């Protein structure tokens, strides 16, 4: 059974940092893993992606230069390091896996077959 388990969410002050973790088990991951987020009343949006075969990374413009996606030593683990947090980063953050490739379509939700339950991030000003 496929499972994606996120952890590391919590509260932070604006300008602070948090690191999210995602551990996948139960299947072959495919070649692209990503982090998405959904704020109350808004659609789920892509934050960052990583091509697990070669570690190429992708970022939404809103987080570029502040967030870093990386893989652990085991390819079934992916991290999202979030620096210089802003109140607008407040959202539920989801790990996603199972997309066959990343590339120009890395941010399309429908390409990911597996999703975690989410971990909340709250940033106060």
């Amino acid at each position: 059974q496929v499972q994606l388990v996120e952890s590391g969410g919590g509260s932070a002050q604006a300008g602070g940092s948090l690191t999210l973790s995602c551990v996948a088990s139960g299947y072959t991951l495919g070649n692209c893993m990503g982090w998405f987020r959904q704020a109350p009343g808004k659609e789920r949006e892509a934050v960052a992606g990583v091509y697990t075969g070669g570690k190429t990374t992708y970022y939404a413009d809103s987080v570029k230069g502040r967030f870093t996606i990386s893989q652990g030593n085991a390819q079934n683990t992916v991290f999202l390091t979030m620096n210089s947090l802003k109140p607008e980063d407040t959202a539920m953050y989801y790990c996603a896996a199972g997309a066959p490739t990343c590339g120009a379509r890395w941010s399309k939700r429908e390409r990911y077959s597996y999703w975690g339950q989410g971990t909340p991030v709250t940033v106060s000003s």
Side-chain angles (χ1 to χ4, degrees):
Q1 184 174 351
V2 175
Q3 275 194 318
L4 299 178
V5 180
E6 304 102 330
S7 61
S11 298
Q13 296 280 340
S17 299
L18 286 171
T19 297
L20 308 182
S21 301
C22 172
V23 179
S25 61
Y27 87 116
T28 300
L29 290 174
N31 290 324
C32 190
M33 293 186 73
W35 285 96
F36 288 71
R37 68 185 181 187
Q38 188 167 16
K42 295 189 176 182
E43 289 193 0
R44 193 170 299 189
E45 62 177 1
V47 175
V50 60
Y51 171 57
T52 59
K55 300 190 178 181
T56 303
T57 56
Y58 306 82
Y59 297 97
D61 288 343
S62 59
V63 306
K64 207 170 287 184
R66 300 189 298 122
F67 290 11
T68 303
I69 188 170
S70 59
Q71 280 185 269
N73 290 331
Q75 287 196 350
N76 66 333
T77 304
V78 65
F79 304 100
L80 184 69
T81 301
M82 306 183 293
N83 296 320
S84 303
L85 283 164
K86 302 177 180 180
E88 50 263 44
D89 295 320
T90 295
M92 187 71 79
Y93 282 71
Y94 298 90
C95 178
T101 61
C102 281
R105 299 177 66 207
W106 73 271
S107 63
K108 303 300 184 183
R109 289 176 293 172
E110 61 270 21
R111 300 185 72 245
Y112 295 85
S113 302
Y114 307 103
W115 293 84
Q117 292 300 305
T119 186
V121 171
T122 302
V123 183
S124 56
S125 57

